[in-house]
Amino acid sequence: MLLAIDVGNSNISLGIFKGENLLMKGKISVKTRRSADEYAAIVYDLMGMNRISREEVNSCILASVVPELTGLVEDAARIITGAVPLRVGPGIRTGFRIRIDDPSQLGGDLAADTLAALTEYGAPLVVIDAGTVTTIIAVDRDRTYLGGCILPGIRPSAQLLKEATALLPSIELGDKEDACLGRNSADAMRCGLLLGSAMMVDGFIDRYAALPGMAGAKCIATGGSAPLVTARCRREIRQDPELTLKGLRYLYEANRPKAKR
Protein backbone atom coordinates (compact mmCIF):
# COMPACT_ATOMS: atom_id res chain seq x y z
CA MET A 1 0.00 0.00 0.00
CA LEU A 2 1.05 3.58 -0.67
CA LEU A 3 1.10 6.36 1.92
CA ALA A 4 0.60 9.76 0.23
CA ILE A 5 1.47 12.87 2.27
CA ASP A 6 0.91 16.54 1.47
CA VAL A 7 2.54 18.92 3.97
CA GLY A 8 0.71 22.26 3.84
CA ASN A 9 0.94 25.47 5.81
CA SER A 10 -1.97 24.64 8.13
CA ASN A 11 -2.38 20.86 7.90
CA ILE A 12 -0.67 17.68 6.82
CA SER A 13 -3.07 15.77 4.59
CA LEU A 14 -2.48 12.07 4.09
CA GLY A 15 -4.07 9.10 2.42
CA ILE A 16 -3.40 5.40 2.04
CA PHE A 17 -4.02 3.78 -1.34
CA LYS A 18 -4.39 0.13 -2.22
CA GLY A 19 -4.01 0.26 -5.96
CA GLU A 20 -6.42 2.95 -7.17
CA ASN A 21 -8.59 2.78 -4.05
CA LEU A 22 -8.20 5.42 -1.35
CA LEU A 23 -8.73 3.38 1.82
CA MET A 24 -8.02 6.11 4.36
CA LYS A 25 -7.52 9.84 4.52
CA GLY A 26 -6.86 12.23 7.38
CA LYS A 27 -5.41 15.56 8.45
CA ILE A 28 -2.90 16.52 11.13
CA SER A 29 -2.66 20.13 12.29
CA VAL A 30 0.79 21.68 12.05
CA LYS A 31 0.04 24.26 14.73
CA THR A 32 1.47 21.92 17.37
CA ARG A 33 5.15 21.07 17.00
CA ARG A 34 5.76 17.32 17.08
CA SER A 35 8.64 14.88 16.72
CA ALA A 36 8.86 12.32 13.92
CA ASP A 37 7.82 9.60 16.39
CA GLU A 38 4.75 11.62 17.39
CA TYR A 39 3.71 12.11 13.76
CA ALA A 40 4.17 8.38 13.16
CA ALA A 41 2.09 7.55 16.24
CA ILE A 42 -0.80 9.71 15.00
CA VAL A 43 -0.73 7.99 11.61
CA TYR A 44 -0.63 4.57 13.30
CA ASP A 45 -3.73 5.53 15.29
CA LEU A 46 -5.53 6.55 12.09
CA MET A 47 -4.50 3.29 10.45
CA GLY A 48 -5.80 1.32 13.42
CA MET A 49 -9.15 3.13 13.27
CA ASN A 50 -9.38 2.14 9.60
CA ARG A 51 -8.18 -1.44 10.22
CA ILE A 52 -5.07 -1.06 8.11
CA SER A 53 -2.10 -3.17 9.19
CA ARG A 54 1.31 -1.55 9.56
CA GLU A 55 2.92 -4.30 7.50
CA GLU A 56 0.72 -3.54 4.49
CA VAL A 57 1.96 0.04 4.01
CA ASN A 58 5.38 -0.22 2.39
CA SER A 59 5.84 2.84 0.15
CA CYS A 60 5.40 6.60 0.41
CA ILE A 61 5.32 9.78 -1.64
CA LEU A 62 5.66 13.21 -0.04
CA ALA A 63 4.95 16.76 -1.20
CA SER A 64 5.77 19.67 1.10
CA VAL A 65 5.58 23.47 0.99
CA VAL A 66 6.94 23.80 4.55
CA PRO A 67 10.70 23.16 4.48
CA GLU A 68 11.12 23.06 8.26
CA LEU A 69 8.62 20.19 8.49
CA THR A 70 9.78 18.19 5.47
CA GLY A 71 12.57 16.30 7.20
CA LEU A 72 10.47 15.47 10.25
CA VAL A 73 7.62 14.11 8.16
CA GLU A 74 10.03 12.15 5.96
CA ASP A 75 11.48 10.52 9.09
CA ALA A 76 7.96 9.68 10.27
CA ALA A 77 7.19 8.13 6.87
CA ARG A 78 10.32 5.98 7.11
CA ILE A 79 9.20 4.75 10.53
CA ILE A 80 5.76 3.86 9.16
CA THR A 81 6.72 2.28 5.83
CA GLY A 82 10.33 1.17 6.27
CA ALA A 83 11.07 2.84 2.93
CA VAL A 84 12.63 6.12 1.77
CA PRO A 85 9.78 8.43 0.68
CA LEU A 86 9.69 9.68 -2.89
CA ARG A 87 9.76 13.47 -2.57
CA VAL A 88 7.99 15.58 -5.18
CA GLY A 89 10.47 18.14 -6.44
CA PRO A 90 12.86 19.06 -9.24
CA GLY A 91 13.58 16.14 -11.56
CA ILE A 92 10.35 14.26 -10.92
CA ARG A 93 8.38 13.23 -14.01
CA THR A 94 5.04 15.04 -14.06
CA GLY A 95 3.60 14.04 -17.45
CA PHE A 96 2.94 17.64 -18.50
CA ARG A 97 4.97 20.61 -19.74
CA ILE A 98 5.78 23.41 -17.32
CA ARG A 99 6.08 26.86 -18.87
CA ILE A 100 7.07 29.10 -15.96
CA ASP A 101 10.30 31.03 -15.37
CA ASP A 102 11.74 28.41 -12.99
CA PRO A 103 9.97 25.04 -13.12
CA SER A 104 11.74 23.98 -9.91
CA GLN A 105 9.55 26.51 -8.07
CA LEU A 106 6.36 24.61 -8.89
CA GLY A 107 5.01 23.34 -5.57
CA GLY A 108 4.56 19.61 -5.15
CA ASP A 109 0.89 20.09 -4.28
CA LEU A 110 0.27 22.01 -7.51
CA ALA A 111 2.12 19.37 -9.53
CA ALA A 112 -0.11 16.72 -7.96
CA ASP A 113 -3.29 18.79 -8.51
CA THR A 114 -2.38 19.35 -12.15
CA LEU A 115 -1.57 15.73 -12.96
CA ALA A 116 -4.72 14.42 -11.26
CA ALA A 117 -6.93 16.97 -13.02
CA LEU A 118 -5.37 16.20 -16.41
CA THR A 119 -5.69 12.46 -15.86
CA GLU A 120 -9.29 12.52 -14.69
CA TYR A 121 -10.82 15.48 -16.55
CA GLY A 122 -8.58 16.25 -19.53
CA ALA A 123 -7.19 19.53 -20.89
CA PRO A 124 -7.62 22.48 -20.99
CA LEU A 125 -8.13 23.18 -17.30
CA VAL A 126 -8.40 25.80 -14.62
CA VAL A 127 -7.56 24.31 -11.22
CA ILE A 128 -8.41 26.08 -7.96
CA ASP A 129 -6.81 24.96 -4.69
CA ALA A 130 -8.32 26.89 -1.78
CA GLY A 131 -6.56 26.47 1.54
CA THR A 132 -4.24 28.75 3.54
CA VAL A 133 -3.79 30.50 0.21
CA THR A 134 -5.94 30.18 -2.89
CA THR A 135 -4.08 29.22 -6.05
CA ILE A 136 -5.65 29.32 -9.50
CA ILE A 137 -3.65 27.77 -12.34
CA ALA A 138 -4.16 27.34 -16.08
CA VAL A 139 -3.28 24.30 -18.21
CA ASP A 140 -3.81 24.60 -21.95
CA ARG A 141 -5.11 22.04 -24.45
CA ASP A 142 -1.52 20.85 -25.10
CA ARG A 143 -1.13 19.87 -21.42
CA THR A 144 1.16 22.83 -20.74
CA TYR A 145 1.15 24.36 -17.27
CA LEU A 146 1.02 28.07 -18.12
CA GLY A 147 1.20 29.56 -14.63
CA GLY A 148 -1.36 31.08 -12.33
CA CYS A 149 -2.03 33.37 -9.39
CA ILE A 150 -1.82 33.17 -5.60
CA LEU A 151 -4.50 34.90 -3.53
CA PRO A 152 -4.90 35.20 0.25
CA GLY A 153 -6.88 32.30 1.68
CA ILE A 154 -10.37 33.13 2.88
CA ARG A 155 -9.93 31.92 6.48
CA PRO A 156 -6.56 33.64 7.09
CA SER A 157 -8.04 36.79 5.54
CA ALA A 158 -10.91 36.72 8.03
CA GLN A 159 -8.44 36.30 10.90
CA LEU A 160 -6.28 39.15 9.61
CA LEU A 161 -9.28 41.50 9.43
CA LYS A 162 -10.02 40.81 13.08
CA GLU A 163 -6.39 41.12 14.23
CA ALA A 164 -5.60 44.27 12.25
CA THR A 165 -8.66 46.30 13.29
CA ALA A 166 -9.90 47.51 16.65
CA LEU A 167 -13.66 47.39 16.16
CA LEU A 168 -14.39 44.65 13.63
CA PRO A 169 -15.80 41.47 15.18
CA SER A 170 -14.85 37.83 14.77
CA ILE A 171 -17.14 36.12 12.27
CA GLU A 172 -18.14 32.63 11.21
CA LEU A 173 -17.76 31.78 7.54
CA GLY A 174 -20.71 29.41 7.43
CA ASP A 175 -23.51 28.75 5.00
CA LYS A 176 -25.54 31.81 5.97
CA GLU A 177 -27.39 33.28 3.00
CA ASP A 178 -25.29 36.03 1.46
CA ALA A 179 -26.36 39.48 0.41
CA CYS A 180 -24.23 41.82 -1.64
CA LEU A 181 -24.92 44.55 0.93
CA GLY A 182 -23.99 44.01 4.58
CA ARG A 183 -26.35 45.72 7.06
CA ASN A 184 -23.94 45.36 9.99
CA SER A 185 -20.19 44.94 10.43
CA ALA A 186 -20.23 41.15 10.65
CA ASP A 187 -22.38 40.73 7.53
CA ALA A 188 -20.33 43.30 5.65
CA MET A 189 -17.14 41.36 6.48
CA ARG A 190 -18.74 38.08 5.51
CA CYS A 191 -20.00 39.60 2.25
CA GLY A 192 -16.60 41.02 1.41
CA LEU A 193 -14.73 37.80 2.15
CA LEU A 194 -17.09 35.26 0.59
CA LEU A 195 -18.47 37.16 -2.38
CA GLY A 196 -15.20 39.01 -2.92
CA SER A 197 -13.29 35.72 -3.10
CA ALA A 198 -15.85 34.25 -5.48
CA MET A 199 -15.66 37.31 -7.72
CA MET A 200 -11.87 37.07 -7.84
CA VAL A 201 -12.05 33.39 -8.79
CA ASP A 202 -14.66 34.07 -11.48
CA GLY A 203 -12.60 36.96 -12.80
CA PHE A 204 -9.40 34.93 -13.11
CA ILE A 205 -11.29 32.06 -14.76
CA ASP A 206 -12.70 34.50 -17.33
CA ARG A 207 -9.24 35.85 -18.09
CA TYR A 208 -7.61 32.42 -18.28
CA ALA A 209 -10.38 31.10 -20.54
CA ALA A 210 -9.56 33.87 -23.01
CA LEU A 211 -5.91 32.81 -23.35
CA PRO A 212 -4.74 30.87 -26.43
CA GLY A 213 -5.42 27.15 -26.03
CA MET A 214 -7.78 27.64 -23.09
CA ALA A 215 -11.17 27.75 -24.84
CA GLY A 216 -13.69 25.46 -23.15
CA ALA A 217 -11.50 24.90 -20.09
CA LYS A 218 -13.03 22.80 -17.34
CA CYS A 219 -12.80 24.20 -13.80
CA ILE A 220 -11.83 21.88 -10.94
CA ALA A 221 -11.58 22.91 -7.27
CA THR A 222 -10.00 21.28 -4.26
CA GLY A 223 -8.85 22.36 -0.78
CA GLY A 224 -10.58 22.83 2.55
CA SER A 225 -12.07 26.23 1.71
CA ALA A 226 -13.09 25.37 -1.86
CA PRO A 227 -16.80 24.82 -1.08
CA LEU A 228 -17.03 28.20 0.67
CA VAL A 229 -15.54 30.04 -2.29
CA THR A 230 -16.87 28.19 -5.31
CA ALA A 231 -20.47 27.90 -4.06
CA ARG A 232 -20.73 31.63 -4.71
CA CYS A 233 -19.06 31.61 -8.13
CA ARG A 234 -21.04 32.08 -11.31
CA ARG A 235 -18.82 29.70 -13.27
CA GLU A 236 -19.50 25.96 -13.19
CA ILE A 237 -16.78 24.47 -10.98
CA ARG A 238 -16.46 20.79 -10.12
CA GLN A 239 -15.39 19.86 -6.59
CA ASP A 240 -12.75 17.14 -6.08
CA PRO A 241 -11.66 17.04 -2.40
CA GLU A 242 -9.16 14.19 -3.01
CA LEU A 243 -7.49 15.79 -6.04
CA THR A 244 -4.09 16.33 -4.40
CA LEU A 245 -3.90 12.86 -2.87
CA LYS A 246 -4.90 11.25 -6.15
CA GLY A 247 -2.27 13.34 -7.92
CA LEU A 248 0.39 12.12 -5.52
CA ARG A 249 -0.55 8.54 -6.36
CA TYR A 250 -0.28 9.29 -10.08
CA LEU A 251 3.13 10.90 -9.52
CA TYR A 252 4.29 7.87 -7.58
CA GLU A 253 3.18 5.53 -10.34
CA ALA A 254 5.05 7.64 -12.91
CA ASN A 255 8.22 7.70 -10.80
CA ARG A 256 8.02 4.38 -8.96
CA PRO A 257 11.47 3.05 -8.02
CA LYS A 258 12.29 0.02 -10.16
CA ALA A 259 12.45 -3.25 -8.26
CA LYS A 260 15.91 -4.79 -8.00
CA ARG A 261 16.40 -8.16 -9.67
Side-chain angles (χ1 to χ4, degrees), residues 94-112:
T94 62
F96 56 89
R97 301 180 188 88
I98 303 172
R99 200 171 77 192
I100 59 176
D101 292 342
D102 183 358
S104 68
Q105 291 185 352
L106 181 63
D109 54 344
L110 296 183

PDB file of all heavy atoms in Angstrom, residues 94-112:
ATOM      1  N   THR A  94       6.411  14.609 -14.333  1.00  0.00           N
ATOM      2  CA  THR A  94       5.038  15.039 -14.061  1.00  0.00           C
ATOM      3  C   THR A  94       4.050  14.616 -15.137  1.00  0.00           C
ATOM      4  O   THR A  94       2.851  14.550 -14.870  1.00  0.00           O
ATOM      5  CB  THR A  94       4.972  16.569 -13.922  1.00  0.00           C
ATOM      6  OG1 THR A  94       5.383  17.167 -15.167  1.00  0.00           O
ATOM      7  CG2 THR A  94       5.881  17.061 -12.797  1.00  0.00           C
ATOM      8  N   GLY A  95       4.519  14.392 -16.370  1.00  0.00           N
ATOM      9  CA  GLY A  95       3.604  14.036 -17.446  1.00  0.00           C
ATOM     10  C   GLY A  95       2.977  15.231 -18.137  1.00  0.00           C
ATOM     11  O   GLY A  95       2.082  15.069 -18.966  1.00  0.00           O
ATOM     12  N   PHE A  96       3.429  16.448 -17.803  1.00  0.00           N
ATOM     13  CA  PHE A  96       2.945  17.640 -18.495  1.00  0.00           C
ATOM     14  C   PHE A  96       4.081  18.652 -18.589  1.00  0.00           C
ATOM     15  O   PHE A  96       5.044  18.615 -17.824  1.00  0.00           O
ATOM     16  CB  PHE A  96       1.723  18.248 -17.795  1.00  0.00           C
ATOM     17  CG  PHE A  96       1.954  18.591 -16.334  1.00  0.00           C
ATOM     18  CD1 PHE A  96       2.453  19.835 -15.963  1.00  0.00           C
ATOM     19  CD2 PHE A  96       1.633  17.677 -15.338  1.00  0.00           C
ATOM     20  CE1 PHE A  96       2.661  20.149 -14.627  1.00  0.00           C
ATOM     21  CE2 PHE A  96       1.842  17.980 -13.988  1.00  0.00           C
ATOM     22  CZ  PHE A  96       2.351  19.223 -13.637  1.00  0.00           C
ATOM     23  N   ARG A  97       3.959  19.563 -19.562  1.00  0.00           N
ATOM     24  CA  ARG A  97       4.967  20.608 -19.737  1.00  0.00           C
ATOM     25  C   ARG A  97       4.751  21.707 -18.694  1.00  0.00           C
ATOM     26  O   ARG A  97       3.616  21.992 -18.315  1.00  0.00           O
ATOM     27  CB  ARG A  97       4.886  21.213 -21.139  1.00  0.00           C
ATOM     28  CG  ARG A  97       5.096  20.220 -22.264  1.00  0.00           C
ATOM     29  CD  ARG A  97       4.992  20.942 -23.618  1.00  0.00           C
ATOM     30  NE  ARG A  97       4.990  20.012 -24.741  1.00  0.00           N
ATOM     31  CZ  ARG A  97       3.917  19.443 -25.253  1.00  0.00           C
ATOM     32  NH1 ARG A  97       2.717  19.721 -24.736  1.00  0.00           N
ATOM     33  NH2 ARG A  97       3.995  18.615 -26.273  1.00  0.00           N
ATOM     34  N   ILE A  98       5.848  22.332 -18.300  1.00  0.00           N
ATOM     35  CA  ILE A  98       5.776  23.410 -17.315  1.00  0.00           C
ATOM     36  C   ILE A  98       6.405  24.654 -17.933  1.00  0.00           C
ATOM     37  O   ILE A  98       7.619  24.693 -18.167  1.00  0.00           O
ATOM     38  CB  ILE A  98       6.507  23.031 -16.011  1.00  0.00           C
ATOM     39  CG1 ILE A  98       5.934  21.735 -15.430  1.00  0.00           C
ATOM     40  CG2 ILE A  98       6.401  24.168 -14.995  1.00  0.00           C
ATOM     41  CD1 ILE A  98       6.717  21.193 -14.254  1.00  0.00           C
ATOM     42  N   ARG A  99       5.587  25.657 -18.225  1.00  0.00           N
ATOM     43  CA  ARG A  99       6.083  26.864 -18.871  1.00  0.00           C
ATOM     44  C   ARG A  99       6.037  28.044 -17.908  1.00  0.00           C
ATOM     45  O   ARG A  99       5.241  28.969 -18.035  1.00  0.00           O
ATOM     46  CB  ARG A  99       5.273  27.172 -20.138  1.00  0.00           C
ATOM     47  CG  ARG A  99       6.031  28.104 -21.113  1.00  0.00           C
ATOM     48  CD  ARG A  99       5.298  28.207 -22.434  1.00  0.00           C
ATOM     49  NE  ARG A  99       4.147  29.089 -22.348  1.00  0.00           N
ATOM     50  CZ  ARG A  99       3.203  29.185 -23.283  1.00  0.00           C
ATOM     51  NH1 ARG A  99       3.263  28.426 -24.363  1.00  0.00           N
ATOM     52  NH2 ARG A  99       2.191  30.025 -23.142  1.00  0.00           N
ATOM     53  N   ILE A 100       6.896  27.970 -16.882  1.00  0.00           N
ATOM     54  CA  ILE A 100       7.066  29.095 -15.964  1.00  0.00           C
ATOM     55  C   ILE A 100       8.549  29.415 -15.914  1.00  0.00           C
ATOM     56  O   ILE A 100       9.383  28.647 -16.401  1.00  0.00           O
ATOM     57  CB  ILE A 100       6.510  28.788 -14.551  1.00  0.00           C
ATOM     58  CG1 ILE A 100       7.210  27.573 -13.930  1.00  0.00           C
ATOM     59  CG2 ILE A 100       5.003  28.556 -14.613  1.00  0.00           C
ATOM     60  CD1 ILE A 100       6.771  27.287 -12.497  1.00  0.00           C
ATOM     61  N   ASP A 101       8.907  30.571 -15.337  1.00  0.00           N
ATOM     62  CA  ASP A 101      10.297  31.030 -15.370  1.00  0.00           C
ATOM     63  C   ASP A 101      11.257  30.001 -14.783  1.00  0.00           C
ATOM     64  O   ASP A 101      12.326  29.756 -15.337  1.00  0.00           O
ATOM     65  CB  ASP A 101      10.430  32.359 -14.612  1.00  0.00           C
ATOM     66  CG  ASP A 101       9.722  33.501 -15.318  1.00  0.00           C
ATOM     67  OD1 ASP A 101       9.423  33.352 -16.532  1.00  0.00           O
ATOM     68  OD2 ASP A 101       9.462  34.525 -14.672  1.00  0.00           O
ATOM     69  N   ASP A 102      10.896  29.409 -13.653  1.00  0.00           N
ATOM     70  CA  ASP A 102      11.743  28.412 -12.995  1.00  0.00           C
ATOM     71  C   ASP A 102      10.870  27.222 -12.599  1.00  0.00           C
ATOM     72  O   ASP A 102      10.219  27.249 -11.559  1.00  0.00           O
ATOM     73  CB  ASP A 102      12.406  29.016 -11.754  1.00  0.00           C
ATOM     74  CG  ASP A 102      13.364  28.043 -11.069  1.00  0.00           C
ATOM     75  OD1 ASP A 102      13.472  26.886 -11.539  1.00  0.00           O
ATOM     76  OD2 ASP A 102      13.998  28.447 -10.069  1.00  0.00           O
ATOM     77  N   PRO A 103      10.836  26.183 -13.416  1.00  0.00           N
ATOM     78  CA  PRO A 103       9.973  25.036 -13.123  1.00  0.00           C
ATOM     79  C   PRO A 103      10.235  24.391 -11.765  1.00  0.00           C
ATOM     80  O   PRO A 103       9.336  23.766 -11.196  1.00  0.00           O
ATOM     81  CB  PRO A 103      10.296  24.060 -14.262  1.00  0.00           C
ATOM     82  CG  PRO A 103      10.725  24.934 -15.391  1.00  0.00           C
ATOM     83  CD  PRO A 103      11.493  26.047 -14.737  1.00  0.00           C
ATOM     84  N   SER A 104      11.444  24.570 -11.216  1.00  0.00           N
ATOM     85  CA  SER A 104      11.738  23.982  -9.909  1.00  0.00           C
ATOM     86  C   SER A 104      10.936  24.643  -8.792  1.00  0.00           C
ATOM     87  O   SER A 104      10.835  24.109  -7.688  1.00  0.00           O
ATOM     88  CB  SER A 104      13.234  24.094  -9.598  1.00  0.00           C
ATOM     89  OG  SER A 104      13.619  25.444  -9.385  1.00  0.00           O
ATOM     90  N   GLN A 105      10.351  25.825  -9.078  1.00  0.00           N
ATOM     91  CA  GLN A 105       9.548  26.505  -8.067  1.00  0.00           C
ATOM     92  C   GLN A 105       8.110  26.009  -8.008  1.00  0.00           C
ATOM     93  O   GLN A 105       7.354  26.432  -7.126  1.00  0.00           O
ATOM     94  CB  GLN A 105       9.551  28.010  -8.329  1.00  0.00           C
ATOM     95  CG  GLN A 105      10.896  28.682  -8.083  1.00  0.00           C
ATOM     96  CD  GLN A 105      10.829  30.192  -8.244  1.00  0.00           C
ATOM     97  OE1 GLN A 105       9.822  30.745  -8.674  1.00  0.00           O
ATOM     98  NE2 GLN A 105      11.915  30.871  -7.895  1.00  0.00           N
ATOM     99  N   LEU A 106       7.726  25.130  -8.921  1.00  0.00           N
ATOM    100  CA  LEU A 106       6.360  24.605  -8.892  1.00  0.00           C
ATOM    101  C   LEU A 106       6.182  23.728  -7.656  1.00  0.00           C
ATOM    102  O   LEU A 106       6.892  22.742  -7.465  1.00  0.00           O
ATOM    103  CB  LEU A 106       6.077  23.787 -10.149  1.00  0.00           C
ATOM    104  CG  LEU A 106       4.672  23.189 -10.254  1.00  0.00           C
ATOM    105  CD1 LEU A 106       3.616  24.280 -10.302  1.00  0.00           C
ATOM    106  CD2 LEU A 106       4.565  22.283 -11.471  1.00  0.00           C
ATOM    107  N   GLY A 107       5.246  24.087  -6.801  1.00  0.00           N
ATOM    108  CA  GLY A 107       5.010  23.337  -5.574  1.00  0.00           C
ATOM    109  C   GLY A 107       4.548  21.911  -5.853  1.00  0.00           C
ATOM    110  O   GLY A 107       3.836  21.650  -6.827  1.00  0.00           O
ATOM    111  N   GLY A 108       4.949  21.003  -4.979  1.00  0.00           N
ATOM    112  CA  GLY A 108       4.559  19.610  -5.153  1.00  0.00           C
ATOM    113  C   GLY A 108       3.061  19.409  -5.133  1.00  0.00           C
ATOM    114  O   GLY A 108       2.527  18.550  -5.850  1.00  0.00           O
ATOM    115  N   ASP A 109       2.347  20.210  -4.322  1.00  0.00           N
ATOM    116  CA  ASP A 109       0.892  20.088  -4.279  1.00  0.00           C
ATOM    117  C   ASP A 109       0.267  20.513  -5.602  1.00  0.00           C
ATOM    118  O   ASP A 109      -0.674  19.867  -6.089  1.00  0.00           O
ATOM    119  CB  ASP A 109       0.312  20.903  -3.122  1.00  0.00           C
ATOM    120  CG  ASP A 109       0.751  22.372  -3.126  1.00  0.00           C
ATOM    121  OD1 ASP A 109       1.729  22.716  -3.830  1.00  0.00           O
ATOM    122  OD2 ASP A 109       0.121  23.178  -2.416  1.00  0.00           O
ATOM    123  N   LEU A 110       0.814  21.565  -6.228  1.00  0.00           N
ATOM    124  CA  LEU A 110       0.274  22.009  -7.510  1.00  0.00           C
ATOM    125  C   LEU A 110       0.609  21.024  -8.620  1.00  0.00           C
ATOM    126  O   LEU A 110      -0.202  20.814  -9.539  1.00  0.00           O
ATOM    127  CB  LEU A 110       0.807  23.396  -7.861  1.00  0.00           C
ATOM    128  CG  LEU A 110       0.391  24.538  -6.927  1.00  0.00           C
ATOM    129  CD1 LEU A 110       0.933  25.864  -7.435  1.00  0.00           C
ATOM    130  CD2 LEU A 110      -1.123  24.599  -6.779  1.00  0.00           C
ATOM    131  N   ALA A 111       1.791  20.415  -8.551  1.00  0.00           N
ATOM    132  CA  ALA A 111       2.123  19.370  -9.528  1.00  0.00           C
ATOM    133  C   ALA A 111       1.154  18.207  -9.410  1.00  0.00           C
ATOM    134  O   ALA A 111       0.665  17.665 -10.416  1.00  0.00           O
ATOM    135  CB  ALA A 111       3.562  18.894  -9.321  1.00  0.00           C
ATOM    136  N   ALA A 112       0.831  17.820  -8.176  1.00  0.00           N
ATOM    137  CA  ALA A 112      -0.110  16.723  -7.956  1.00  0.00           C
ATOM    138  C   ALA A 112      -1.514  17.104  -8.423  1.00  0.00           C
ATOM    139  O   ALA A 112      -2.194  16.325  -9.107  1.00  0.00           O
ATOM    140  CB  ALA A 112      -0.131  16.339  -6.480  1.00  0.00           C
TER     141      ALA A 112
END
